[in-house]
Amino acid sequence: DGGITQSPKYLFRKEGQNVTLSCEQNLNHDAMYWYRQDPGQGLRLIYYSQIVNDFQKGDIAEGYSVSREKKESFPLTVTSAQKNPTAFYLCASTQTGERNQPQHFGDGTRLSIL
Amino acid sequence: AQSVTQLDSHVSVSEGTPVLLRCNYSSSYSPSLFWYVQHPNKGLQLLLKYTSAATLVKGINGFEAEFKKSETSFHLTKPSAHMSDAAEYFCVVRLSGYSTLTFGKGTMLLVSP
């Protein structure tokens, strides 16, 4: 089955530590996205990438970094500069070229501070 | 600029009664509109999308939405709620030419027996 796989499902971060969230898709989609979800705030865009080796900042990129070395992979690093990392993180992908194409989502990673 | 307003943070219904989740958008251009559903600790699943082919859009699990340009609304409805419909629902907008989405803050649907 085609889809998006996020791992791990739960992750704990110690103070001063960087952690990396994995996102892999086998849908052959060009574009990939990372969102942060906090209760009552909807989804906010962290970073997105429309093509390999290129990515753009979203609305809340500070304290996060990404890479896009392969079409199917878009890992997100939560750095120690992100002072409030506790949230639910969602990865999504879509095919570019048609504006009505929906985004497909993974099942998320829940990050907490130890 | 585009924005999405979901008018209710919570909606409570009884099983078997109609569901109405309200969404208004602001956009200077013809938008793409979507409704997604999210069950606890899961990702978002597409319910339906507006493609400008028809103003009444049918989605999965018996949900429908009607695009009303004059009212800038895209409300989600279902004739008869089921217990399995209890979840959070998001109204989403994308402007023509943009690859990013703007999400509403979500409406939690509670269904009682």
Side-chain angles (χ1 to χ4, degrees), chain B residues 14-37:
Chain B
S14 298
E15 192 175 20
T17 64
V19 175
L20 171 63
L21 305 183
R22 298 181 294 165
C23 173
N24 286 101
Y25 68 92
S26 65
S27 171
S28 302
Y29 305 97
S30 180
S32 297
L33 294 161
F34 308 85
W35 275 99
Y36 283 85
V37 61

mmCIF file of all heavy atoms in Angstrom, chain B residues 14-37:
data_model
loop_
_atom_site.group_PDB
_atom_site.id
_atom_site.type_symbol
_atom_site.label_atom_id
_atom_site.label_comp_id
_atom_site.label_asym_id
_atom_site.label_seq_id
_atom_site.Cartn_x
_atom_site.Cartn_y
_atom_site.Cartn_z
ATOM 1 N N SER B 14 -26.550 14.082 18.861
ATOM 2 C CA SER B 14 -26.933 12.724 19.235
ATOM 3 C C SER B 14 -26.829 11.823 18.014
ATOM 4 O O SER B 14 -27.003 12.279 16.872
ATOM 5 C CB SER B 14 -28.370 12.700 19.769
ATOM 6 O OG SER B 14 -28.479 13.480 20.932
ATOM 7 N N GLU B 15 -26.547 10.570 18.240
ATOM 8 C CA GLU B 15 -26.467 9.615 17.141
ATOM 9 C C GLU B 15 -27.783 9.611 16.371
ATOM 10 O O GLU B 15 -28.866 9.622 16.970
ATOM 11 C CB GLU B 15 -26.167 8.219 17.686
ATOM 12 C CG GLU B 15 -25.773 7.217 16.623
ATOM 13 C CD GLU B 15 -25.354 5.876 17.214
ATOM 14 O OE1 GLU B 15 -25.722 5.594 18.362
ATOM 15 O OE2 GLU B 15 -24.645 5.124 16.513
ATOM 16 N N GLY B 16 -27.681 9.644 15.031
ATOM 17 C CA GLY B 16 -28.873 9.636 14.192
ATOM 18 C C GLY B 16 -29.398 11.012 13.833
ATOM 19 O O GLY B 16 -30.295 11.127 12.986
ATOM 20 N N THR B 17 -28.858 12.075 14.435
ATOM 21 C CA THR B 17 -29.299 13.447 14.114
ATOM 22 C C THR B 17 -28.322 14.082 13.127
ATOM 23 O O THR B 17 -27.187 13.614 12.980
ATOM 24 C CB THR B 17 -29.400 14.309 15.365
ATOM 25 O OG1 THR B 17 -28.099 14.460 15.949
ATOM 26 C CG2 THR B 17 -30.343 13.682 16.386
ATOM 27 N N PRO B 18 -28.763 15.171 12.438
ATOM 28 C CA PRO B 18 -27.883 15.787 11.426
ATOM 29 C C PRO B 18 -26.669 16.475 12.046
ATOM 30 O O PRO B 18 -26.695 16.942 13.187
ATOM 31 C CB PRO B 18 -28.798 16.818 10.753
ATOM 32 C CG PRO B 18 -30.185 16.383 11.070
ATOM 33 C CD PRO B 18 -30.113 15.737 12.413
ATOM 34 N N VAL B 19 -25.621 16.556 11.219
ATOM 35 C CA VAL B 19 -24.384 17.235 11.593
ATOM 36 C C VAL B 19 -24.186 18.450 10.694
ATOM 37 O O VAL B 19 -24.389 18.373 9.471
ATOM 38 C CB VAL B 19 -23.175 16.289 11.426
ATOM 39 C CG1 VAL B 19 -21.867 17.031 11.702
ATOM 40 C CG2 VAL B 19 -23.303 15.074 12.339
ATOM 41 N N LEU B 20 -23.810 19.580 11.297
ATOM 42 C CA LEU B 20 -23.443 20.788 10.555
ATOM 43 C C LEU B 20 -22.176 21.361 11.176
ATOM 44 O O LEU B 20 -22.177 21.764 12.329
ATOM 45 C CB LEU B 20 -24.552 21.840 10.596
ATOM 46 C CG LEU B 20 -24.183 23.223 10.039
ATOM 47 C CD1 LEU B 20 -23.834 23.145 8.552
ATOM 48 C CD2 LEU B 20 -25.307 24.231 10.277
ATOM 49 N N LEU B 21 -21.092 21.384 10.404
ATOM 50 C CA LEU B 21 -19.843 22.005 10.842
ATOM 51 C C LEU B 21 -19.586 23.179 9.908
ATOM 52 O O LEU B 21 -19.490 23.002 8.697
ATOM 53 C CB LEU B 21 -18.690 20.999 10.782
ATOM 54 C CG LEU B 21 -18.894 19.691 11.559
ATOM 55 C CD1 LEU B 21 -17.638 18.829 11.461
ATOM 56 C CD2 LEU B 21 -19.258 19.953 12.995
ATOM 57 N N ARG B 22 -19.434 24.366 10.493
ATOM 58 C CA ARG B 22 -19.396 25.588 9.692
ATOM 59 C C ARG B 22 -17.984 26.080 9.422
ATOM 60 O O ARG B 22 -17.119 26.037 10.315
ATOM 61 C CB ARG B 22 -20.203 26.670 10.395
ATOM 62 C CG ARG B 22 -21.684 26.312 10.562
ATOM 63 C CD ARG B 22 -22.440 27.437 11.236
ATOM 64 N NE ARG B 22 -22.005 27.646 12.622
ATOM 65 C CZ ARG B 22 -22.298 28.724 13.318
ATOM 66 N NH1 ARG B 22 -23.015 29.695 12.775
ATOM 67 N NH2 ARG B 22 -21.891 28.838 14.576
ATOM 68 N N CYS B 23 -17.794 26.559 8.195
ATOM 69 C CA CYS B 23 -16.488 27.066 7.774
ATOM 70 C C CYS B 23 -16.693 28.265 6.862
ATOM 71 O O CYS B 23 -17.441 28.194 5.886
ATOM 72 C CB CYS B 23 -15.712 25.983 7.032
ATOM 73 S SG CYS B 23 -14.159 26.559 6.297
ATOM 74 N N ASN B 24 -16.015 29.373 7.174
ATOM 75 C CA ASN B 24 -15.970 30.537 6.299
ATOM 76 C C ASN B 24 -14.523 30.803 5.908
ATOM 77 O O ASN B 24 -13.609 30.581 6.710
ATOM 78 C CB ASN B 24 -16.562 31.770 6.988
ATOM 79 C CG ASN B 24 -18.059 31.698 7.063
ATOM 80 O OD1 ASN B 24 -18.639 31.378 8.094
ATOM 81 N ND2 ASN B 24 -18.703 31.966 5.934
ATOM 82 N N TYR B 25 -14.314 31.257 4.707
ATOM 83 C CA TYR B 25 -12.967 31.548 4.234
ATOM 84 C C TYR B 25 -12.916 32.962 3.716
ATOM 85 O O TYR B 25 -13.943 33.544 3.336
ATOM 86 C CB TYR B 25 -12.558 30.559 3.139
ATOM 87 C CG TYR B 25 -13.347 30.719 1.866
ATOM 88 C CD1 TYR B 25 -12.893 31.550 0.840
ATOM 89 C CD2 TYR B 25 -14.573 30.089 1.696
ATOM 90 C CE1 TYR B 25 -13.634 31.733 -0.300
ATOM 91 C CE2 TYR B 25 -15.312 30.261 0.552
ATOM 92 C CZ TYR B 25 -14.848 31.090 -0.441
ATOM 93 O OH TYR B 25 -15.592 31.284 -1.571
ATOM 94 N N SER B 26 -11.735 33.517 3.683
ATOM 95 C CA SER B 26 -11.520 34.810 3.043
ATOM 96 C C SER B 26 -10.407 34.635 2.039
ATOM 97 O O SER B 26 -9.331 34.133 2.376
ATOM 98 C CB SER B 26 -11.143 35.887 4.066
ATOM 99 O OG SER B 26 -9.906 35.594 4.659
ATOM 100 N N SER B 27 -10.690 34.987 0.809
ATOM 101 C CA SER B 27 -9.716 34.824 -0.252
ATOM 102 C C SER B 27 -10.084 35.755 -1.391
ATOM 103 O O SER B 27 -11.248 35.884 -1.741
ATOM 104 C CB SER B 27 -9.703 33.379 -0.750
ATOM 105 O OG SER B 27 -8.914 33.256 -1.908
ATOM 106 N N SER B 28 -9.084 36.384 -1.940
ATOM 107 C CA SER B 28 -9.327 37.292 -3.061
ATOM 108 C C SER B 28 -9.483 36.552 -4.375
ATOM 109 O O SER B 28 -9.931 37.107 -5.355
ATOM 110 C CB SER B 28 -8.173 38.288 -3.176
ATOM 111 O OG SER B 28 -8.040 39.009 -1.986
ATOM 112 N N TYR B 29 -9.077 35.314 -4.393
ATOM 113 C CA TYR B 29 -9.096 34.545 -5.627
ATOM 114 C C TYR B 29 -9.877 33.256 -5.426
ATOM 115 O O TYR B 29 -10.227 32.907 -4.309
ATOM 116 C CB TYR B 29 -7.664 34.228 -6.067
ATOM 117 C CG TYR B 29 -6.797 35.446 -6.197
ATOM 118 C CD1 TYR B 29 -5.952 35.846 -5.179
ATOM 119 C CD2 TYR B 29 -6.840 36.209 -7.365
ATOM 120 C CE1 TYR B 29 -5.181 36.979 -5.300
ATOM 121 C CE2 TYR B 29 -6.060 37.338 -7.496
ATOM 122 C CZ TYR B 29 -5.227 37.716 -6.461
ATOM 123 O OH TYR B 29 -4.460 38.831 -6.587
ATOM 124 N N SER B 30 -10.146 32.575 -6.529
ATOM 125 C CA SER B 30 -10.898 31.325 -6.448
ATOM 126 C C SER B 30 -10.066 30.285 -5.705
ATOM 127 O O SER B 30 -9.011 29.888 -6.159
ATOM 128 C CB SER B 30 -11.230 30.828 -7.854
ATOM 129 O OG SER B 30 -11.959 29.621 -7.783
ATOM 130 N N PRO B 31 -10.528 29.851 -4.563
ATOM 131 C CA PRO B 31 -9.718 28.945 -3.750
ATOM 132 C C PRO B 31 -9.981 27.478 -4.051
ATOM 133 O O PRO B 31 -10.998 27.122 -4.635
ATOM 134 C CB PRO B 31 -10.184 29.281 -2.339
ATOM 135 C CG PRO B 31 -11.645 29.574 -2.517
ATOM 136 C CD PRO B 31 -11.770 30.233 -3.879
ATOM 137 N N SER B 32 -9.070 26.630 -3.630
ATOM 138 C CA SER B 32 -9.338 25.202 -3.474
ATOM 139 C C SER B 32 -9.703 24.989 -2.017
ATOM 140 O O SER B 32 -9.067 25.553 -1.122
ATOM 141 C CB SER B 32 -8.098 24.372 -3.815
ATOM 142 O OG SER B 32 -7.739 24.531 -5.148
ATOM 143 N N LEU B 33 -10.731 24.200 -1.785
ATOM 144 C CA LEU B 33 -11.231 23.990 -0.420
ATOM 145 C C LEU B 33 -11.305 22.511 -0.115
ATOM 146 O O LEU B 33 -11.698 21.711 -0.977
ATOM 147 C CB LEU B 33 -12.622 24.618 -0.276
ATOM 148 C CG LEU B 33 -12.680 26.136 -0.386
ATOM 149 C CD1 LEU B 33 -14.092 26.603 -0.692
ATOM 150 C CD2 LEU B 33 -12.177 26.781 0.894
ATOM 151 N N PHE B 34 -10.943 22.169 1.103
ATOM 152 C CA PHE B 34 -10.917 20.775 1.528
ATOM 153 C C PHE B 34 -11.501 20.662 2.934
ATOM 154 O O PHE B 34 -11.406 21.598 3.728
ATOM 155 C CB PHE B 34 -9.472 20.241 1.582
ATOM 156 C CG PHE B 34 -8.665 20.459 0.329
ATOM 157 C CD1 PHE B 34 -7.986 21.657 0.119
ATOM 158 C CD2 PHE B 34 -8.555 19.462 -0.627
ATOM 159 C CE1 PHE B 34 -7.230 21.858 -1.033
ATOM 160 C CE2 PHE B 34 -7.794 19.650 -1.776
ATOM 161 C CZ PHE B 34 -7.135 20.855 -1.976
ATOM 162 N N TRP B 35 -12.048 19.485 3.249
ATOM 163 C CA TRP B 35 -12.344 19.101 4.615
ATOM 164 C C TRP B 35 -11.568 17.816 4.922
ATOM 165 O O TRP B 35 -11.575 16.862 4.127
ATOM 166 C CB TRP B 35 -13.840 18.825 4.816
ATOM 167 C CG TRP B 35 -14.661 20.041 5.116
ATOM 168 C CD1 TRP B 35 -15.432 20.765 4.246
ATOM 169 C CD2 TRP B 35 -14.835 20.664 6.392
ATOM 170 N NE1 TRP B 35 -16.055 21.793 4.898
ATOM 171 C CE2 TRP B 35 -15.713 21.749 6.222
ATOM 172 C CE3 TRP B 35 -14.351 20.400 7.681
ATOM 173 C CZ2 TRP B 35 -16.102 22.585 7.274
ATOM 174 C CZ3 TRP B 35 -14.735 21.220 8.720
ATOM 175 C CH2 TRP B 35 -15.601 22.291 8.514
ATOM 176 N N TYR B 36 -10.909 17.848 6.101
ATOM 177 C CA TYR B 36 -10.185 16.684 6.592
ATOM 178 C C TYR B 36 -10.759 16.276 7.946
ATOM 179 O O TYR B 36 -11.262 17.117 8.702
ATOM 180 C CB TYR B 36 -8.702 17.004 6.791
ATOM 181 C CG TYR B 36 -7.861 17.062 5.536
ATOM 182 C CD1 TYR B 36 -7.773 18.225 4.782
ATOM 183 C CD2 TYR B 36 -7.118 15.961 5.118
ATOM 184 C CE1 TYR B 36 -6.972 18.291 3.644
ATOM 185 C CE2 TYR B 36 -6.311 16.017 3.983
ATOM 186 C CZ TYR B 36 -6.246 17.185 3.258
ATOM 187 O OH TYR B 36 -5.451 17.230 2.141
ATOM 188 N N VAL B 37 -10.601 14.984 8.284
ATOM 189 C CA VAL B 37 -10.984 14.486 9.594
ATOM 190 C C VAL B 37 -9.761 13.877 10.282
ATOM 191 O O VAL B 37 -8.896 13.288 9.615
ATOM 192 C CB VAL B 37 -12.122 13.437 9.484
ATOM 193 C CG1 VAL B 37 -11.692 12.226 8.669
ATOM 194 C CG2 VAL B 37 -12.588 12.989 10.870
#
